[in-house]
Amino acid sequence: DSGVTQTPKHLITATGQRVTLRCSPRSGDLSVYWYQQSLDQGLQFLIQYYNGEERAKGNILERFSAQQFPDLHSELNLSSLELGDSALYFCASSPYQGANYGYTFGSGTRLTVV
Amino acid sequence: GESVGLHLPTLSVQEGDNSIINCAYSNSASDYFIWYKQESGKGPQFIIDIRSNMDKRQGQRVTVLLNKTVKHLSLQIAATQPGDSAVYFCAENRGNTGKLIFGQGTTLQVKP
């Protein structure tokens, strides 16, 4: 157990729907990072929050949004889902704003859009 | 898009042999590198890191080598064990931003 908790583990939904993925960081970590992992794109950085504020943004689609709450858990919202959004979504956390001590990943949410 | 590249998609080794996984990075401004291991059904797990002011760093059974001249990173695993079977990713960071840029991954298969 890495200490980073992601729920749900699996999610199956239909095209056009909206889902929310949840992440609880390790105790004491202030940064949360979201990554998408698909077979053809590898691990792609989506977004980072640090202590409630957005700190870095990757190639996150406009249909996707995220936030970090006062208790430091984070949610990734995916809307108007398309078949191509099927992927593993990972959350990671770290104590720092920057990545140069690495991060700790959760076990992921597998999203299947049908 | 931007990426850290890996030379081989799959590496098959005999149990007990040493493994070497390679990675090329594109930006000479990158100053921090990490190797992650991802087992089936799990998230990436930190193995070892190295900063650009170093050429080599050793951990338990693993060594990371950094050649800045040719922008190359390698992970050496000594006495490879079946439990080492996984996908290995290199990742880079530039200027201590929040973003790690991952390579495509190399699958390591360990034959008994």
PDB file of all heavy atoms in Angstrom, chain A residues 5-7 20-24 32-36 44-49 58 60 65-68 73-77 89-93 103 105 108-109:
ATOM      1  N   THR A   5      -4.664   6.760  -1.990  1.00  0.00           N
ATOM      2  CA  THR A   5      -5.885   5.980  -2.177  1.00  0.00           C
ATOM      3  C   THR A   5      -6.713   6.542  -3.312  1.00  0.00           C
ATOM      4  O   THR A   5      -7.029   7.743  -3.313  1.00  0.00           O
ATOM      5  CB  THR A   5      -6.725   5.991  -0.891  1.00  0.00           C
ATOM      6  OG1 THR A   5      -5.929   5.488   0.180  1.00  0.00           O
ATOM      7  CG2 THR A   5      -7.958   5.113  -1.045  1.00  0.00           C
ATOM      8  N   GLN A   6      -7.054   5.673  -4.244  1.00  0.00           N
ATOM      9  CA  GLN A   6      -7.890   6.093  -5.370  1.00  0.00           C
ATOM     10  C   GLN A   6      -9.164   5.263  -5.399  1.00  0.00           C
ATOM     11  O   GLN A   6      -9.126   4.047  -5.219  1.00  0.00           O
ATOM     12  CB  GLN A   6      -7.159   5.903  -6.702  1.00  0.00           C
ATOM     13  CG  GLN A   6      -6.010   6.860  -6.895  1.00  0.00           C
ATOM     14  CD  GLN A   6      -5.459   6.782  -8.311  1.00  0.00           C
ATOM     15  OE1 GLN A   6      -4.327   6.349  -8.515  1.00  0.00           O
ATOM     16  NE2 GLN A   6      -6.253   7.225  -9.285  1.00  0.00           N
ATOM     17  N   THR A   7     -10.279   5.944  -5.616  1.00  0.00           N
ATOM     18  CA  THR A   7     -11.557   5.256  -5.772  1.00  0.00           C
ATOM     19  C   THR A   7     -12.332   5.868  -6.920  1.00  0.00           C
ATOM     20  O   THR A   7     -12.191   7.063  -7.213  1.00  0.00           O
ATOM     21  CB  THR A   7     -12.401   5.373  -4.482  1.00  0.00           C
ATOM     22  OG1 THR A   7     -12.589   6.752  -4.163  1.00  0.00           O
ATOM     23  CG2 THR A   7     -11.741   4.644  -3.333  1.00  0.00           C
ATOM     24  N   THR A  20     -16.634  11.015 -11.804  1.00  0.00           N
ATOM     25  CA  THR A  20     -15.704  11.671 -10.878  1.00  0.00           C
ATOM     26  C   THR A  20     -14.798  10.627 -10.263  1.00  0.00           C
ATOM     27  O   THR A  20     -15.268   9.623  -9.720  1.00  0.00           O
ATOM     28  CB  THR A  20     -16.474  12.406  -9.769  1.00  0.00           C
ATOM     29  OG1 THR A  20     -17.273  13.426 -10.370  1.00  0.00           O
ATOM     30  CG2 THR A  20     -15.510  13.032  -8.764  1.00  0.00           C
ATOM     31  N   LEU A  21     -13.503  10.865 -10.379  1.00  0.00           N
ATOM     32  CA  LEU A  21     -12.497   9.999  -9.777  1.00  0.00           C
ATOM     33  C   LEU A  21     -11.948  10.705  -8.548  1.00  0.00           C
ATOM     34  O   LEU A  21     -11.696  11.916  -8.583  1.00  0.00           O
ATOM     35  CB  LEU A  21     -11.359   9.721 -10.767  1.00  0.00           C
ATOM     36  CG  LEU A  21     -11.751   9.295 -12.186  1.00  0.00           C
ATOM     37  CD1 LEU A  21     -10.522   8.981 -13.006  1.00  0.00           C
ATOM     38  CD2 LEU A  21     -12.721   8.161 -12.171  1.00  0.00           C
ATOM     39  N   ARG A  22     -11.718   9.934  -7.506  1.00  0.00           N
ATOM     40  CA  ARG A  22     -11.300  10.528  -6.246  1.00  0.00           C
ATOM     41  C   ARG A  22      -9.921  10.039  -5.836  1.00  0.00           C
ATOM     42  O   ARG A  22      -9.567   8.885  -6.078  1.00  0.00           O
ATOM     43  CB  ARG A  22     -12.309  10.186  -5.161  1.00  0.00           C
ATOM     44  CG  ARG A  22     -12.017  10.790  -3.810  1.00  0.00           C
ATOM     45  CD  ARG A  22     -12.971  10.284  -2.739  1.00  0.00           C
ATOM     46  NE  ARG A  22     -12.500  10.664  -1.417  1.00  0.00           N
ATOM     47  CZ  ARG A  22     -13.022  11.647  -0.694  1.00  0.00           C
ATOM     48  NH1 ARG A  22     -14.035  12.351  -1.171  1.00  0.00           N
ATOM     49  NH2 ARG A  22     -12.545  11.919   0.514  1.00  0.00           N
ATOM     50  N   CYS A  23      -9.167  10.927  -5.206  1.00  0.00           N
ATOM     51  CA  CYS A  23      -7.815  10.606  -4.753  1.00  0.00           C
ATOM     52  C   CYS A  23      -7.579  11.194  -3.374  1.00  0.00           C
ATOM     53  O   CYS A  23      -7.802  12.396  -3.153  1.00  0.00           O
ATOM     54  CB  CYS A  23      -6.794  11.180  -5.725  1.00  0.00           C
ATOM     55  SG  CYS A  23      -5.078  11.081  -5.164  1.00  0.00           S
ATOM     56  N   SER A  24      -7.094  10.368  -2.454  1.00  0.00           N
ATOM     57  CA  SER A  24      -6.636  10.857  -1.153  1.00  0.00           C
ATOM     58  C   SER A  24      -5.128  10.706  -1.094  1.00  0.00           C
ATOM     59  O   SER A  24      -4.618   9.587  -1.236  1.00  0.00           O
ATOM     60  CB  SER A  24      -7.288  10.061  -0.020  1.00  0.00           C
ATOM     61  OG  SER A  24      -8.666  10.296   0.014  1.00  0.00           O
ATOM     62  N   VAL A  32      -0.947  17.012  -5.272  1.00  0.00           N
ATOM     63  CA  VAL A  32      -1.615  15.894  -5.936  1.00  0.00           C
ATOM     64  C   VAL A  32      -1.439  16.065  -7.437  1.00  0.00           C
ATOM     65  O   VAL A  32      -1.564  17.183  -7.960  1.00  0.00           O
ATOM     66  CB  VAL A  32      -3.122  15.858  -5.578  1.00  0.00           C
ATOM     67  CG1 VAL A  32      -3.848  14.862  -6.455  1.00  0.00           C
ATOM     68  CG2 VAL A  32      -3.317  15.508  -4.114  1.00  0.00           C
ATOM     69  N   TYR A  33      -1.120  14.988  -8.104  1.00  0.00           N
ATOM     70  CA  TYR A  33      -0.889  14.985  -9.550  1.00  0.00           C
ATOM     71  C   TYR A  33      -1.826  13.950 -10.178  1.00  0.00           C
ATOM     72  O   TYR A  33      -2.022  12.875  -9.618  1.00  0.00           O
ATOM     73  CB  TYR A  33       0.556  14.574  -9.874  1.00  0.00           C
ATOM     74  CG  TYR A  33       1.613  15.310  -9.097  1.00  0.00           C
ATOM     75  CD1 TYR A  33       1.966  14.913  -7.819  1.00  0.00           C
ATOM     76  CD2 TYR A  33       2.278  16.396  -9.652  1.00  0.00           C
ATOM     77  CE1 TYR A  33       2.943  15.578  -7.099  1.00  0.00           C
ATOM     78  CE2 TYR A  33       3.261  17.071  -8.948  1.00  0.00           C
ATOM     79  CZ  TYR A  33       3.591  16.651  -7.665  1.00  0.00           C
ATOM     80  OH  TYR A  33       4.554  17.320  -6.961  1.00  0.00           O
ATOM     81  N   TRP A  34      -2.335  14.265 -11.342  1.00  0.00           N
ATOM     82  CA  TRP A  34      -3.160  13.317 -12.092  1.00  0.00           C
ATOM     83  C   TRP A  34      -2.479  12.970 -13.412  1.00  0.00           C
ATOM     84  O   TRP A  34      -1.994  13.864 -14.130  1.00  0.00           O
ATOM     85  CB  TRP A  34      -4.540  13.910 -12.373  1.00  0.00           C
ATOM     86  CG  TRP A  34      -5.428  13.975 -11.180  1.00  0.00           C
ATOM     87  CD1 TRP A  34      -5.658  15.051 -10.369  1.00  0.00           C
ATOM     88  CD2 TRP A  34      -6.237  12.903 -10.656  1.00  0.00           C
ATOM     89  NE1 TRP A  34      -6.548  14.714  -9.376  1.00  0.00           N
ATOM     90  CE2 TRP A  34      -6.928  13.403  -9.536  1.00  0.00           C
ATOM     91  CE3 TRP A  34      -6.459  11.571 -11.036  1.00  0.00           C
ATOM     92  CZ2 TRP A  34      -7.814  12.626  -8.787  1.00  0.00           C
ATOM     93  CZ3 TRP A  34      -7.327  10.808 -10.292  1.00  0.00           C
ATOM     94  CH2 TRP A  34      -7.995  11.336  -9.187  1.00  0.00           C
ATOM     95  N   TYR A  35      -2.476  11.672 -13.708  1.00  0.00           N
ATOM     96  CA  TYR A  35      -1.905  11.161 -14.951  1.00  0.00           C
ATOM     97  C   TYR A  35      -2.918  10.240 -15.627  1.00  0.00           C
ATOM     98  O   TYR A  35      -3.690   9.545 -14.958  1.00  0.00           O
ATOM     99  CB  TYR A  35      -0.629  10.352 -14.693  1.00  0.00           C
ATOM    100  CG  TYR A  35       0.606  11.195 -14.553  1.00  0.00           C
ATOM    101  CD1 TYR A  35       0.871  11.887 -13.379  1.00  0.00           C
ATOM    102  CD2 TYR A  35       1.505  11.310 -15.605  1.00  0.00           C
ATOM    103  CE1 TYR A  35       2.011  12.675 -13.258  1.00  0.00           C
ATOM    104  CE2 TYR A  35       2.653  12.088 -15.496  1.00  0.00           C
ATOM    105  CZ  TYR A  35       2.891  12.765 -14.322  1.00  0.00           C
ATOM    106  OH  TYR A  35       4.022  13.541 -14.211  1.00  0.00           O
ATOM    107  N   GLN A  36      -2.869  10.233 -16.951  1.00  0.00           N
ATOM    108  CA  GLN A  36      -3.658   9.299 -17.742  1.00  0.00           C
ATOM    109  C   GLN A  36      -2.691   8.312 -18.386  1.00  0.00           C
ATOM    110  O   GLN A  36      -1.663   8.724 -18.943  1.00  0.00           O
ATOM    111  CB  GLN A  36      -4.433  10.055 -18.834  1.00  0.00           C
ATOM    112  CG  GLN A  36      -5.284   9.172 -19.724  1.00  0.00           C
ATOM    113  CD  GLN A  36      -5.819   9.927 -20.933  1.00  0.00           C
ATOM    114  OE1 GLN A  36      -5.061  10.487 -21.713  1.00  0.00           O
ATOM    115  NE2 GLN A  36      -7.132   9.978 -21.064  1.00  0.00           N
ATOM    116  N   GLN A  44       0.652  10.191 -19.307  1.00  0.00           N
ATOM    117  CA  GLN A  44       0.557  11.592 -19.688  1.00  0.00           C
ATOM    118  C   GLN A  44       0.107  12.433 -18.497  1.00  0.00           C
ATOM    119  O   GLN A  44      -0.920  12.153 -17.881  1.00  0.00           O
ATOM    120  CB  GLN A  44      -0.446  11.760 -20.831  1.00  0.00           C
ATOM    121  CG  GLN A  44      -0.046  11.028 -22.115  1.00  0.00           C
ATOM    122  CD  GLN A  44       1.156  11.652 -22.780  1.00  0.00           C
ATOM    123  OE1 GLN A  44       1.243  12.864 -22.927  1.00  0.00           O
ATOM    124  NE2 GLN A  44       2.113  10.823 -23.190  1.00  0.00           N
ATOM    125  N   PHE A  45       0.868  13.468 -18.234  1.00  0.00           N
ATOM    126  CA  PHE A  45       0.564  14.380 -17.140  1.00  0.00           C
ATOM    127  C   PHE A  45      -0.679  15.190 -17.470  1.00  0.00           C
ATOM    128  O   PHE A  45      -0.794  15.773 -18.543  1.00  0.00           O
ATOM    129  CB  PHE A  45       1.765  15.305 -16.930  1.00  0.00           C
ATOM    130  CG  PHE A  45       1.556  16.387 -15.921  1.00  0.00           C
ATOM    131  CD1 PHE A  45       1.650  16.111 -14.566  1.00  0.00           C
ATOM    132  CD2 PHE A  45       1.278  17.681 -16.317  1.00  0.00           C
ATOM    133  CE1 PHE A  45       1.473  17.124 -13.628  1.00  0.00           C
ATOM    134  CE2 PHE A  45       1.104  18.694 -15.387  1.00  0.00           C
ATOM    135  CZ  PHE A  45       1.201  18.408 -14.033  1.00  0.00           C
ATOM    136  N   LEU A  46      -1.604  15.250 -16.528  1.00  0.00           N
ATOM    137  CA  LEU A  46      -2.815  16.036 -16.730  1.00  0.00           C
ATOM    138  C   LEU A  46      -2.751  17.355 -15.958  1.00  0.00           C
ATOM    139  O   LEU A  46      -2.858  18.439 -16.534  1.00  0.00           O
ATOM    140  CB  LEU A  46      -4.045  15.237 -16.291  1.00  0.00           C
ATOM    141  CG  LEU A  46      -4.356  13.976 -17.103  1.00  0.00           C
ATOM    142  CD1 LEU A  46      -5.577  13.261 -16.539  1.00  0.00           C
ATOM    143  CD2 LEU A  46      -4.577  14.311 -18.567  1.00  0.00           C
ATOM    144  N   ILE A  47      -2.583  17.256 -14.630  1.00  0.00           N
ATOM    145  CA  ILE A  47      -2.667  18.463 -13.828  1.00  0.00           C
ATOM    146  C   ILE A  47      -2.079  18.214 -12.447  1.00  0.00           C
ATOM    147  O   ILE A  47      -2.030  17.074 -11.979  1.00  0.00           O
ATOM    148  CB  ILE A  47      -4.140  18.933 -13.738  1.00  0.00           C
ATOM    149  CG1 ILE A  47      -4.257  20.390 -13.320  1.00  0.00           C
ATOM    150  CG2 ILE A  47      -4.963  18.006 -12.852  1.00  0.00           C
ATOM    151  CD1 ILE A  47      -5.626  21.000 -13.607  1.00  0.00           C
ATOM    152  N   GLN A  48      -1.625  19.303 -11.809  1.00  0.00           N
ATOM    153  CA  GLN A  48      -1.111  19.256 -10.442  1.00  0.00           C
ATOM    154  C   GLN A  48      -1.812  20.302  -9.593  1.00  0.00           C
ATOM    155  O   GLN A  48      -2.005  21.445 -10.020  1.00  0.00           O
ATOM    156  CB  GLN A  48       0.389  19.529 -10.399  1.00  0.00           C
ATOM    157  CG  GLN A  48       0.963  19.600  -8.982  1.00  0.00           C
ATOM    158  CD  GLN A  48       2.268  20.370  -8.887  1.00  0.00           C
ATOM    159  OE1 GLN A  48       2.746  20.940  -9.866  1.00  0.00           O
ATOM    160  NE2 GLN A  48       2.885  20.366  -7.723  1.00  0.00           N
ATOM    161  N   TYR A  49      -2.126  19.924  -8.365  1.00  0.00           N
ATOM    162  CA  TYR A  49      -2.586  20.861  -7.351  1.00  0.00           C
ATOM    163  C   TYR A  49      -1.635  20.821  -6.170  1.00  0.00           C
ATOM    164  O   TYR A  49      -1.130  19.753  -5.800  1.00  0.00           O
ATOM    165  CB  TYR A  49      -4.004  20.524  -6.879  1.00  0.00           C
ATOM    166  CG  TYR A  49      -5.045  20.994  -7.846  1.00  0.00           C
ATOM    167  CD1 TYR A  49      -5.382  20.229  -8.954  1.00  0.00           C
ATOM    168  CD2 TYR A  49      -5.670  22.228  -7.674  1.00  0.00           C
ATOM    169  CE1 TYR A  49      -6.315  20.680  -9.861  1.00  0.00           C
ATOM    170  CE2 TYR A  49      -6.610  22.682  -8.585  1.00  0.00           C
ATOM    171  CZ  TYR A  49      -6.915  21.896  -9.678  1.00  0.00           C
ATOM    172  OH  TYR A  49      -7.840  22.346 -10.592  1.00  0.00           O
ATOM    173  N   GLY A  58      -1.033  20.045 -17.805  1.00  0.00           N
ATOM    174  CA  GLY A  58      -0.521  19.363 -18.991  1.00  0.00           C
ATOM    175  C   GLY A  58      -1.553  19.412 -20.084  1.00  0.00           C
ATOM    176  O   GLY A  58      -2.334  20.355 -20.190  1.00  0.00           O
ATOM    177  N   ILE A  60      -4.460  18.516 -20.620  1.00  0.00           N
ATOM    178  CA  ILE A  60      -5.760  18.106 -20.103  1.00  0.00           C
ATOM    179  C   ILE A  60      -6.854  18.683 -20.993  1.00  0.00           C
ATOM    180  O   ILE A  60      -6.840  19.858 -21.345  1.00  0.00           O
ATOM    181  CB  ILE A  60      -5.929  18.537 -18.632  1.00  0.00           C
ATOM    182  CG1 ILE A  60      -7.212  17.968 -18.035  1.00  0.00           C
ATOM    183  CG2 ILE A  60      -5.827  20.045 -18.471  1.00  0.00           C
ATOM    184  CD1 ILE A  60      -7.294  18.086 -16.514  1.00  0.00           C
ATOM    185  N   SER A  65     -11.802  18.289 -15.696  1.00  0.00           N
ATOM    186  CA  SER A  65     -11.458  19.319 -14.710  1.00  0.00           C
ATOM    187  C   SER A  65     -11.089  18.635 -13.406  1.00  0.00           C
ATOM    188  O   SER A  65     -11.406  17.464 -13.198  1.00  0.00           O
ATOM    189  CB  SER A  65     -12.623  20.280 -14.492  1.00  0.00           C
ATOM    190  OG  SER A  65     -13.725  19.596 -13.921  1.00  0.00           O
ATOM    191  N   ALA A  66     -10.410  19.357 -12.559  1.00  0.00           N
ATOM    192  CA  ALA A  66      -9.999  18.787 -11.276  1.00  0.00           C
ATOM    193  C   ALA A  66     -10.051  19.860 -10.221  1.00  0.00           C
ATOM    194  O   ALA A  66     -10.112  21.063 -10.513  1.00  0.00           O
ATOM    195  CB  ALA A  66      -8.587  18.196 -11.378  1.00  0.00           C
ATOM    196  N   GLN A  67     -10.031  19.429  -8.993  1.00  0.00           N
ATOM    197  CA  GLN A  67      -9.900  20.352  -7.876  1.00  0.00           C
ATOM    198  C   GLN A  67      -9.299  19.618  -6.687  1.00  0.00           C
ATOM    199  O   GLN A  67      -9.345  18.378  -6.627  1.00  0.00           O
ATOM    200  CB  GLN A  67     -11.251  20.971  -7.518  1.00  0.00           C
ATOM    201  CG  GLN A  67     -12.359  20.001  -7.198  1.00  0.00           C
ATOM    202  CD  GLN A  67     -13.685  20.726  -6.958  1.00  0.00           C
ATOM    203  OE1 GLN A  67     -13.713  21.810  -6.377  1.00  0.00           O
ATOM    204  NE2 GLN A  67     -14.782  20.142  -7.399  1.00  0.00           N
ATOM    205  N   GLN A  68      -8.748  20.411  -5.780  1.00  0.00           N
ATOM    206  CA  GLN A  68      -8.220  19.870  -4.534  1.00  0.00           C
ATOM    207  C   GLN A  68      -8.945  20.579  -3.399  1.00  0.00           C
ATOM    208  O   GLN A  68      -9.018  21.812  -3.361  1.00  0.00           O
ATOM    209  CB  GLN A  68      -6.713  20.064  -4.415  1.00  0.00           C
ATOM    210  CG  GLN A  68      -6.107  19.380  -3.192  1.00  0.00           C
ATOM    211  CD  GLN A  68      -4.599  19.578  -3.086  1.00  0.00           C
ATOM    212  OE1 GLN A  68      -4.063  20.579  -3.539  1.00  0.00           O
ATOM    213  NE2 GLN A  68      -3.923  18.619  -2.479  1.00  0.00           N
ATOM    214  N   HIS A  73      -7.797  16.123  -0.338  1.00  0.00           N
ATOM    215  CA  HIS A  73      -8.155  15.122  -1.336  1.00  0.00           C
ATOM    216  C   HIS A  73      -8.483  15.831  -2.641  1.00  0.00           C
ATOM    217  O   HIS A  73      -8.756  17.043  -2.675  1.00  0.00           O
ATOM    218  CB  HIS A  73      -9.293  14.219  -0.842  1.00  0.00           C
ATOM    219  CG  HIS A  73     -10.683  14.682  -1.173  1.00  0.00           C
ATOM    220  ND1 HIS A  73     -11.402  15.538  -0.375  1.00  0.00           N
ATOM    221  CD2 HIS A  73     -11.463  14.389  -2.243  1.00  0.00           C
ATOM    222  CE1 HIS A  73     -12.591  15.747  -0.921  1.00  0.00           C
ATOM    223  NE2 HIS A  73     -12.658  15.074  -2.058  1.00  0.00           N
ATOM    224  N   SER A  74      -8.410  15.085  -3.722  1.00  0.00           N
ATOM    225  CA  SER A  74      -8.615  15.688  -5.037  1.00  0.00           C
ATOM    226  C   SER A  74      -9.629  14.859  -5.827  1.00  0.00           C
ATOM    227  O   SER A  74      -9.779  13.645  -5.598  1.00  0.00           O
ATOM    228  CB  SER A  74      -7.295  15.746  -5.802  1.00  0.00           C
ATOM    229  OG  SER A  74      -7.468  16.288  -7.099  1.00  0.00           O
ATOM    230  N   GLU A  75     -10.314  15.527  -6.718  1.00  0.00           N
ATOM    231  CA  GLU A  75     -11.242  14.865  -7.614  1.00  0.00           C
ATOM    232  C   GLU A  75     -10.949  15.269  -9.051  1.00  0.00           C
ATOM    233  O   GLU A  75     -10.655  16.446  -9.314  1.00  0.00           O
ATOM    234  CB  GLU A  75     -12.694  15.204  -7.245  1.00  0.00           C
ATOM    235  CG  GLU A  75     -13.100  14.642  -5.911  1.00  0.00           C
ATOM    236  CD  GLU A  75     -14.531  14.953  -5.527  1.00  0.00           C
ATOM    237  OE1 GLU A  75     -15.215  15.695  -6.262  1.00  0.00           O
ATOM    238  OE2 GLU A  75     -14.975  14.454  -4.485  1.00  0.00           O
ATOM    239  N   LEU A  76     -11.031  14.295  -9.931  1.00  0.00           N
ATOM    240  CA  LEU A  76     -10.873  14.530 -11.365  1.00  0.00           C
ATOM    241  C   LEU A  76     -12.227  14.243 -12.003  1.00  0.00           C
ATOM    242  O   LEU A  76     -12.759  13.143 -11.860  1.00  0.00           O
ATOM    243  CB  LEU A  76      -9.799  13.610 -11.944  1.00  0.00           C
ATOM    244  CG  LEU A  76      -9.534  13.713 -13.450  1.00  0.00           C
ATOM    245  CD1 LEU A  76      -8.936  15.071 -13.805  1.00  0.00           C
ATOM    246  CD2 LEU A  76      -8.605  12.582 -13.901  1.00  0.00           C
ATOM    247  N   ASN A  77     -12.783  15.244 -12.642  1.00  0.00           N
ATOM    248  CA  ASN A  77     -14.079  15.130 -13.280  1.00  0.00           C
ATOM    249  C   ASN A  77     -13.904  15.005 -14.781  1.00  0.00           C
ATOM    250  O   ASN A  77     -13.232  15.837 -15.408  1.00  0.00           O
ATOM    251  CB  ASN A  77     -14.925  16.370 -12.967  1.00  0.00           C
ATOM    252  CG  ASN A  77     -15.143  16.542 -11.479  1.00  0.00           C
ATOM    253  OD1 ASN A  77     -15.754  15.711 -10.840  1.00  0.00           O
ATOM    254  ND2 ASN A  77     -14.615  17.624 -10.929  1.00  0.00           N
ATOM    255  N   TYR A  89      -6.348   5.932 -14.938  1.00  0.00           N
ATOM    256  CA  TYR A  89      -6.097   7.276 -14.413  1.00  0.00           C
ATOM    257  C   TYR A  89      -5.416   7.114 -13.065  1.00  0.00           C
ATOM    258  O   TYR A  89      -5.950   6.479 -12.152  1.00  0.00           O
ATOM    259  CB  TYR A  89      -7.397   8.064 -14.291  1.00  0.00           C
ATOM    260  CG  TYR A  89      -7.951   8.413 -15.653  1.00  0.00           C
ATOM    261  CD1 TYR A  89      -8.755   7.511 -16.344  1.00  0.00           C
ATOM    262  CD2 TYR A  89      -7.631   9.626 -16.274  1.00  0.00           C
ATOM    263  CE1 TYR A  89      -9.227   7.804 -17.619  1.00  0.00           C
ATOM    264  CE2 TYR A  89      -8.109   9.927 -17.538  1.00  0.00           C
ATOM    265  CZ  TYR A  89      -8.894   9.006 -18.208  1.00  0.00           C
ATOM    266  OH  TYR A  89      -9.354   9.306 -19.470  1.00  0.00           O
ATOM    267  N   PHE A  90      -4.230   7.693 -12.975  1.00  0.00           N
ATOM    268  CA  PHE A  90      -3.452   7.601 -11.747  1.00  0.00           C
ATOM    269  C   PHE A  90      -3.379   8.950 -11.047  1.00  0.00           C
ATOM    270  O   PHE A  90      -3.248   9.993 -11.687  1.00  0.00           O
ATOM    271  CB  PHE A  90      -2.023   7.129 -12.027  1.00  0.00           C
ATOM    272  CG  PHE A  90      -1.919   5.678 -12.372  1.00  0.00           C
ATOM    273  CD1 PHE A  90      -1.753   5.270 -13.683  1.00  0.00           C
ATOM    274  CD2 PHE A  90      -1.997   4.717 -11.376  1.00  0.00           C
ATOM    275  CE1 PHE A  90      -1.660   3.931 -14.000  1.00  0.00           C
ATOM    276  CE2 PHE A  90      -1.904   3.373 -11.684  1.00  0.00           C
ATOM    277  CZ  PHE A  90      -1.738   2.975 -13.006  1.00  0.00           C
ATOM    278  N   CYS A  91      -3.426   8.866  -9.764  1.00  0.00           N
ATOM    279  CA  CYS A  91      -3.152   9.995  -8.912  1.00  0.00           C
ATOM    280  C   CYS A  91      -1.826   9.720  -8.209  1.00  0.00           C
ATOM    281  O   CYS A  91      -1.504   8.563  -7.905  1.00  0.00           O
ATOM    282  CB  CYS A  91      -4.285  10.118  -7.897  1.00  0.00           C
ATOM    283  SG  CYS A  91      -3.975  11.225  -6.541  1.00  0.00           S
ATOM    284  N   ALA A  92      -1.065  10.767  -7.984  1.00  0.00           N
ATOM    285  CA  ALA A  92       0.171  10.661  -7.221  1.00  0.00           C
ATOM    286  C   ALA A  92       0.222  11.817  -6.238  1.00  0.00           C
ATOM    287  O   ALA A  92      -0.485  12.819  -6.419  1.00  0.00           O
ATOM    288  CB  ALA A  92       1.379  10.696  -8.152  1.00  0.00           C
ATOM    289  N   SER A  93       1.043  11.667  -5.212  1.00  0.00           N
ATOM    290  CA  SER A  93       1.186  12.779  -4.268  1.00  0.00           C
ATOM    291  C   SER A  93       2.632  12.941  -3.838  1.00  0.00           C
ATOM    292  O   SER A  93       3.448  12.018  -3.967  1.00  0.00           O
ATOM    293  CB  SER A  93       0.266  12.592  -3.049  1.00  0.00           C
ATOM    294  OG  SER A  93       0.757  11.590  -2.175  1.00  0.00           O
ATOM    295  N   TYR A 103       7.337  11.306  -6.989  1.00  0.00           N
ATOM    296  CA  TYR A 103       6.054  11.213  -6.339  1.00  0.00           C
ATOM    297  C   TYR A 103       5.708   9.757  -6.053  1.00  0.00           C
ATOM    298  O   TYR A 103       6.294   8.850  -6.592  1.00  0.00           O
ATOM    299  CB  TYR A 103       4.870  11.757  -7.138  1.00  0.00           C
ATOM    300  CG  TYR A 103       4.957  12.522  -8.389  1.00  0.00           C
ATOM    301  CD1 TYR A 103       4.412  11.994  -9.548  1.00  0.00           C
ATOM    302  CD2 TYR A 103       5.438  13.818  -8.423  1.00  0.00           C
ATOM    303  CE1 TYR A 103       4.363  12.720 -10.712  1.00  0.00           C
ATOM    304  CE2 TYR A 103       5.394  14.558  -9.584  1.00  0.00           C
ATOM    305  CZ  TYR A 103       4.856  14.014 -10.724  1.00  0.00           C
ATOM    306  OH  TYR A 103       4.798  14.744 -11.892  1.00  0.00           O
ATOM    307  N   PHE A 105       2.657   7.063  -6.344  1.00  0.00           N
ATOM    308  CA  PHE A 105       1.428   6.828  -7.100  1.00  0.00           C
ATOM    309  C   PHE A 105       0.454   5.939  -6.341  1.00  0.00           C
ATOM    310  O   PHE A 105       0.849   5.056  -5.567  1.00  0.00           O
ATOM    311  CB  PHE A 105       1.746   6.138  -8.428  1.00  0.00           C
ATOM    312  CG  PHE A 105       2.272   7.058  -9.491  1.00  0.00           C
ATOM    313  CD1 PHE A 105       3.619   7.367  -9.559  1.00  0.00           C
ATOM    314  CD2 PHE A 105       1.416   7.615 -10.421  1.00  0.00           C
ATOM    315  CE1 PHE A 105       4.111   8.221 -10.544  1.00  0.00           C
ATOM    316  CE2 PHE A 105       1.888   8.471 -11.410  1.00  0.00           C
ATOM    317  CZ  PHE A 105       3.236   8.772 -11.465  1.00  0.00           C
ATOM    318  N   GLY A 108      -4.555   3.450  -9.099  1.00  0.00           N
ATOM    319  CA  GLY A 108      -5.255   3.814 -10.315  1.00  0.00           C
ATOM    320  C   GLY A 108      -6.731   3.491 -10.338  1.00  0.00           C
ATOM    321  O   GLY A 108      -7.234   2.684  -9.551  1.00  0.00           O
ATOM    322  N   THR A 109      -7.422   4.169 -11.252  1.00  0.00           N
ATOM    323  CA  THR A 109      -8.820   3.873 -11.582  1.00  0.00           C
ATOM    324  C   THR A 109      -8.854   3.483 -13.054  1.00  0.00           C
ATOM    325  O   THR A 109      -8.381   4.244 -13.908  1.00  0.00           O
ATOM    326  CB  THR A 109      -9.720   5.100 -11.362  1.00  0.00           C
ATOM    327  OG1 THR A 109      -9.791   5.396  -9.976  1.00  0.00           O
ATOM    328  CG2 THR A 109     -11.132   4.837 -11.900  1.00  0.00           C
TER     329      THR A 109
END
